Amino acid sequence: MKRPIEDEESSCASAEPTESKQAKLASDSNNDAAVAATGNTRNCTINRRRGDVKKAILMLMYSGSGYYGMQRNTGFDTIEGALFDSLLAGGHITEEEYLSPGKLQFQRASKTDKGVSALAQVVSMKLNLSDADSLKADVNSRLPTQIRLLDVFRTTKNFNCKARVNHREYAYICPSYAFASKSRPIDITYRIDSTQLELLRSCLSRYKGTKNYYNFTSGRPPGDASCNRYIIDFTVGEPFEYRDAEFVELRVRGQSFMLHQIRKMVGLAIAIVKGYCRLEAMDAVFTYKRMDVPKAPGLGLLLNKINYGAYNEKYAAELGYSTVDWDRFEAERSEFKSSHILPEIYRGETDNRSMLEWLRTLTMHSYDFDRQDGPPTVFKQQQQQSEQPKQFEKDSQSEAASSEPNSAGALNTGS
């Protein structure tokens, strides 16, 4: 149950602060004198909120490791939760606003799932911007080092950071061995060749344009118009070395994305390059038949940029507002990627074998249509050495019985 918030006048005169709240606020040099004089930390919070309260844009970057996504969720550590804790501790928002973000007109540009990082995230809310530089410094001093506030500045009073997005860019960073032929033993010393890169680029290019992605999410019926998504481009850069491993970075730009969409787009591309199904599956998956599409691991998925081109041109240029321009922070973002994000991806691949373990599940997929348009078929494999995980057995509907290509261009493997 939410704790009721008393009237400002009476609460400032009578509320007794808790020891933990008083300790947090006492650490702020701007509040030391008031705390010592009144012993009332809530008085300091209210005073800090008076003044030049305007709609603000906050530009953020973070490593999602150890967090249960972006959105606040009671009982779980989230990025928004850490941000709101820091704003409250610094006296930049009241307890009532902390409990009811709608009073701040709070909005996020994009959600990110558990463990997903971001080199570009935006939230908008009402804040006292009389000293924006001090606010930024104070919030950063309270945030964990894996969450950084890059900038905070005024915007138009009706700005909505989600609605104003022109497009979003995600990156997916994975070890090169993810694309090795299924017949080849793989380890961290593997290096991708030009033939595989060209096949990968051919797969990714077929995602461009407006298509229906109901096969790339869950809980949507075939042909659901709400699953139409416009992909601007999907590319892969040149391989790069990190420590003793080689990685590739895939980048996809689109107006918006659905749950699991990018991970399934990557998963199908990997399955094709490795030889589990043919390139023609890229066409079959967009027909109005349910198809079994593997979902790549969440490790390596990264919100890379959020574009506000129209807003920057119309409001920043004409009215004198600051632009939401990530290039201004390219050095900081690059350093943060190297020091916080790549180490987590490397650790996940070497210690937890995230991609390697997932690759072993690719033989469990049929890459075929379900003729009844029900849940995607997952083939139950014959076991020779070990029992398959229970979740795959539970969902199994048929045995892999043929090595002939199926209607989606897949090559079923029964071993």
Side-chain angles (χ1 to χ4, degrees):
M1 179 180 296
K2 295 181 180 179
R3 189 175 69 180
I5 304 301
E6 302 89 355
D7 178 74
E8 286 188 5
E9 296 296 333
S10 61
S11 64
C12 290
S14 61
E16 290 294 330
T18 63
E19 181 179 350
S20 59
K21 185 64 64 60
Q22 189 172 21
K24 289 180 181 178
L25 290 176
S27 65
D28 187 341
S29 60
N30 292 327
N31 285 317
D32 283 346
V35 171
T38 67
N40 190 337
T41 56
R42 291 192 54 173
N43 186 53
C44 303
T45 301
I46 292 169
N47 285 341
R48 289 283 295 277
R49 287 288 297 150
R50 288 180 178 145
D52 191 23
V53 177
K54 304 292 184 182
K55 178 65 76 67
I57 288 175
L58 286 75
M59 300 174 66
L60 302 160
M61 61 181 177
Y62 53 83
S63 167
S65 177
Y67 286 91
Y68 287 81
M70 173 68 182
Q71 189 173 0
R72 288 174 76 181
N73 191 356
T74 303
F76 296 91
D77 291 331
T78 66
I79 302 300
E80 280 179 17
L83 176 62
F84 271 78
D85 287 346
S86 299
L87 289 168
L88 178 65
H92 306 293
I93 60 175
T94 66
E95 285 192 50
E96 186 175 10
E97 291 163 339
Y98 177 87
L99 295 171
S100 302
K103 296 180 182 297
L104 297 166
Q105 298 180 17
F106 176 81
Q107 182 60 266
R108 72 191 68 83
S110 294
K111 292 180 182 179
T112 52
D113 295 333
K114 177 183 177 182
V116 176
S117 301
L119 286 175
Q121 177 66 281
V122 172
V123 300
S124 54
M125 60 197 300
K126 295 177 72 174
L127 289 172
N128 185 334
L129 296 177
S130 57
D131 191 348
D133 290 339
S134 294
L135 186 154
K136 172 187 169 183
D138 179 70
V139 171
N140 274 328
S141 72
R142 301 173 189 279
L143 283 170
T145 56
Q146 69 185 85
I147 306 174
R148 294 290 86 189
L149 176 59
L150 290 168
D151 204 359
V152 54
F153 51 87
R154 182 181 175 183
T155 183
T156 57
K157 65 179 181 179
N158 294 321
F159 179 81
N160 183 308
C161 64
K162 180 179 180 180
R164 287 288 183 182
V165 174
N166 287 94
H167 63 260
R168 297 165 175 84
E169 177 183 287
Y170 280 83
Y172 191 89
I173 303 172
C174 65
S176 294
Y177 65 66
F179 302 97
S181 171
K182 65 178 182 178
S183 62
R184 173 174 177 168
I186 55 175
D187 57 35
I188 205 166
T189 63
Y190 178 83
R191 299 297 182 263
I192 194 169
D193 61 38
S194 58
T195 301
Q196 291 168 306
L197 271 177
E198 284 307 309
L199 177 55
L200 176 58
R201 290 189 174 106
S202 179
C203 290
L204 300 181
S205 68
R206 298 199 180 199
Y207 287 122
K208 290 176 63 175
T210 301
K211 301 178 186 293
N212 191 289
Y213 281 87
Y214 82 94
N215 266 322
F216 293 81
T217 188
S218 59
R220 302 293 182 89
D224 186 343
S226 68
C227 297
N228 289 336
R229 291 295 185 273
Y230 174 60
I231 302 301
I232 300 171
D233 55 40
F234 204 160
T235 60
V236 58
E238 291 300 316
F240 66 92
E241 300 277 338
Y242 183 78
R243 298 182 184 176
D244 56 348
E246 182 183 77
F247 290 82
V248 291
E249 181 172 333
L250 287 63
R251 291 192 179 185
V252 56
R253 289 193 302 153
Q255 290 179 333
S256 62
F257 300 90
M258 297 182 298
L259 179 67
H260 304 321
Q261 180 184 339
I262 297 173
R263 291 170 62 186
K264 287 202 168 196
M265 292 167 78
V266 173
L268 182 58
I270 290 175
I272 292 172
V273 175
K274 291 186 71 65
Y276 286 102
C277 58
R278 296 175 181 169
L279 186 60
E280 287 77 11
M282 293 295 303
D283 298 320
V285 75
F286 292 111
T287 61
Y288 294 127
K289 288 288 186 180
R290 182 82 62 185
M291 185 173 172
D292 178 17
V293 179
K295 180 176 65 179
L299 181 68
L301 184 59
L302 169 70
L303 179 57
N304 197 54
K305 281 188 179 180
I306 304 177
N307 182 276
Y308 288 92
Y311 167 82
N312 288 342
E313 291 179 8
K314 182 174 181 179
Y315 294 100
E318 296 181 7
L319 303 178
Y321 289 107
S322 296
T323 59
V324 187
D325 182 8
W326 301 104
D327 291 340
R328 291 192 287 132
F329 304 101
E330 190 58 37
E332 293 94 325
R333 294 169 70 242
S334 179
E335 192 281 329
F336 188 84
K337 181 179 180 180
S338 298
S339 61
H340 287 82
I341 296 177
L342 287 179
E344 288 297 331
I345 295 175
Y346 179 85
R347 189 177 302 114
E349 299 297 354
T350 55
D351 295 350
N352 302 326
R353 299 158 61 92
S354 173
M355 179 60 71
L356 190 60
E357 293 300 322
W358 176 78
L359 290 173
R360 292 173 177 169
T361 71
L362 291 178
T363 59
M364 303 174 192
H365 292 269
S366 67
Y367 311 95
D368 195 4
F369 295 133
D370 182 338
R371 297 302 180 182
Q372 287 74 41
D373 293 333
T377 300
V378 179
F379 275 37
K380 182 178 180 181
Q381 303 298 303
Q382 296 178 355
Q383 301 304 305
Q384 296 180 353
Q385 297 180 348
S386 62
E387 183 181 2
Q388 292 289 359
K390 292 182 179 179
Q391 62 266 30
F392 292 107
E393 291 186 1
K394 184 177 180 181
D395 294 335
S396 297
Q397 298 180 3
S398 59
E399 295 285 343
S402 172
S403 60
E404 293 298 319
N406 58 38
S407 58
L411 184 63
N412 294 334
T413 57
S415 60

